Amino acid sequence: MHLRQLHIRQFKNHTHRVFDFNESVIGFTGSNGIGKTNLLDAIHYLCLTKSYFIAQDTQNIQEGCDFFVLEGYFDAGTEQSKLLIKQPARGKKEVSRNNMVYEKLAEHIGRFPVVMITPYDVDLIQEGSEVRRKFLDTAISQLDQTYLTQLMQYQKVVAQRNVLLKQLAERNGADKALLAVLDTYDAQLLQYGEPIIAKRQAFLPELSAHFEQYYQLISGNAEAVRLTYVSGVQNRDFATALVQTRQADIAAQRSLVGCHRDDLEFSLRSLSLKKFGSQGQQKSFLLALKFAQWKITATHTGKKALLLLDDLFDRMDENRIRNLVALFPEFGQLFISDTHQERLAALLNEAGLKYELYRL
């Protein structure tokens, strides 16, 4: 899959830009703050109908403007697609493919797979479990639309259940009518949650295998690493767990058990990556994790996802950088941002890669 042309209008700091891409490696270079990352985010937006960084769509509109428009022309084998996204300051976002507007944006997810790597991904290590679940859910959702539908339904039920738990807490948990509604919500949690947990557990061994392989290639076999899926219902039945935690849920006024509480543990030499990993080790870990996501996507869909690499070489030593660039021929189309055009060109030349560089 290749992105052949990109049109941007009034998206973040870009008023109007048009790019034609002919090579598999594309570089955006220039000083910090000039908009390199925003170009990568525009590509991510076209693929997943949302920004990698900003949840509120209208906040991506250039300051003082009334809308933004993103347009991309993709080749996927013999199939060509024109993607168009329009976001007004007031009104609904419109996403179309080949001039056909999607009724549900979820129908678009997975058609144009993408993997993005940025310095902000350190949040996967440093922040709470929600960030790691989002990574896991995004990766699986690009492979399985049923998973995405189940996840959306599950999250809706959790939100409704939490409102009900607050009402029950105000009545000391003694309202029979509300408890009957809680039983209904619990049944829905099981309906949507059990398949989600099963699919995550099935996904992890494959992700881990590719992840460990990529980490060793990047680090030069420097140290052992591990991913572990941690679930509050891992060693007990979900239905039983809901019964056992019901009173605690009412007291806390939120749902304390379920796949919305699960996590990924990252370890280095059997120690916490967060506590004991150097900046270079953490960067290598994150790259290997995202490359593993890319590999699984290619294996399961037959499509080589676009790979968006923001500020790629930050906090990496020369050996790891060269090991990293040596992996590039395996991937499909890569988009790289870097502050040093000459360094990027030298590395790509050394690897014998064809490329296009755009100095912003």
Side-chain angles (χ1 to χ4, degrees), residues 327-344:
L327 295 173
F328 283 3
E330 175 183 350
F331 302 115
Q333 193 175 30
L334 299 88
F335 293 83
I336 308 171
S337 73
D338 196 9
T339 53
H340 300 91
Q341 181 164 312
E342 293 73 19
R343 175 183 66 178
L344 179 58

Side-chain angles (χ1 to χ4, degrees), residues 7-11 13-19 62:
H7 295 227
I8 299 176
R9 186 178 295 277
Q10 297 173 181
F11 181 79
N13 70 323
H14 294 291
T15 301
H16 185 213
R17 285 187 177 273
V18 178
F19 297 92
Q62 189 175 52

Side-chain angles (χ1 to χ4, degrees), residues 289-344:
L289 186 64
K290 292 298 188 81
F291 288 170
Q293 177 193 351
W294 181 93
K295 185 71 172 183
I296 290 176
T297 302
T299 301
H300 283 262
T301 68
K303 300 176 182 178
K304 291 188 173 184
L306 297 184
L307 194 53
L308 312 179
L309 308 172
D310 185 31
D311 203 7
L312 180 61
F313 307 121
D314 180 49
R315 300 177 182 178
M316 296 189 72
D317 60 46
E318 291 299 319
N319 286 333
R320 292 187 188 232
I321 288 174
R322 283 181 166 75
N323 291 339
L324 176 62
V325 175
L327 295 173
F328 283 3
E330 175 183 350
F331 302 115
Q333 193 175 30
L334 299 88
F335 293 83
I336 308 171
S337 73
D338 196 9
T339 53
H340 300 91
Q341 181 164 312
E342 293 73 19
R343 175 183 66 178
L344 179 58

Side-chain angles (χ1 to χ4, degrees), residues 71-87:
E71 188 174 349
Y73 293 82
F74 290 79
D75 287 345
T78 59
E79 184 181 20
Q80 296 181 331
S81 295
K82 170 191 172 183
L83 301 185
L84 183 65
I85 297 179
K86 301 176 182 178
Q87 176 62 65

Side-chain angles (χ1 to χ4, degrees), residues 248-262:
D249 285 358
I250 293 172
Q253 301 181 32
R254 66 182 187 277
S255 304
L256 298 174
V257 67
C259 54
H260 62 289
R261 306 276 293 182
D262 294 350

Side-chain angles (χ1 to χ4, degrees), residues 83-102:
L83 301 185
L84 183 65
I85 297 179
K86 301 176 182 178
Q87 176 62 65
R90 294 179 179 82
K92 186 178 178 181
K93 174 171 60 182
E94 182 178 285
V95 182
S96 64
R97 173 175 170 263
N98 294 335
N99 300 317
M100 297 292 292
V101 177
Y102 287 104

